[in-house]
Amino acid sequence: MPKIYEYFGFIFYFYSNEHEPIHVHVIHGDKESIFDLIIQNGELSKINVRRKKGAEMLSEKDRNIAETFIFRYHKEIIDKWIAFFVLKQNIKCNVITKKI
């Protein structure tokens, strides 16, 4: 389960046996949601948020924070997805300490 980002108590990660569409799991406290990155014509067109089975979803406020973060870092998230799942490379977790 590679962790890709930490951001003010939010943990962004992939499961090691993921599937498309490209998506990222986000945990904050004891809640978790999944964010699907919808790519059209090579660009991020939108993010769909969905429930992780067996977990309570992030609050609306936390979903907005996570979504803002994902929009800001979506290119890096996609690069990490490709590095890990396609190229089979190790990826490192980045700790972001500057508010978006």
Side-chain angles (χ1 to χ4, degrees):
M1 178 169 99
K3 181 168 52 168
I4 59 172
Y5 289 104
E6 290 182 18
Y7 176 71
F8 294 96
F10 290 83
I11 306 297
F12 296 77
Y13 71 97
F14 302 137
Y15 275 106
S16 41
N17 60 344
E18 291 286 28
H19 53 83
E20 291 188 20
I22 294 174
H23 62 279
V24 63
H25 295 255
V26 181
I27 295 175
H28 189 251
D30 60 350
K31 298 178 181 168
E32 179 175 359
S33 295
I34 302 169
F35 294 78
D36 295 326
L37 284 70
I38 309 303
I39 312 292
Q40 292 182 326
N41 300 320
E43 296 294 325
L44 179 65
S45 63
K46 68 179 180 172
I47 297 172
N48 290 335
V49 183
R50 57 188 165 98
R51 175 182 305 277
K52 180 182 182 265
K53 187 176 181 179
E56 186 177 345
M57 286 189 75
L58 296 174
S59 68
E60 183 178 347
K61 177 184 174 191
D62 288 347
R63 282 194 308 268
N64 289 337
I65 291 169
E67 190 169 316
T68 298
F69 182 93
I70 292 166
F71 268 114
R72 166 62 181 84
Y73 287 95
H74 73 275
K75 290 180 182 174
E76 291 89 347
I77 292 169
I78 293 167
D79 289 346
K80 287 177 183 265
W81 177 281
I82 291 168
F84 188 77
F85 293 107
V86 177
L87 303 175
K88 308 297 184 198
Q89 297 173 342
N90 290 325
I91 55 175
K92 72 175 206 157
C93 176
N94 297 96
V95 178
I96 307 299
T97 58
K98 183 178 177 186
K99 290 265 187 188
I100 299 174

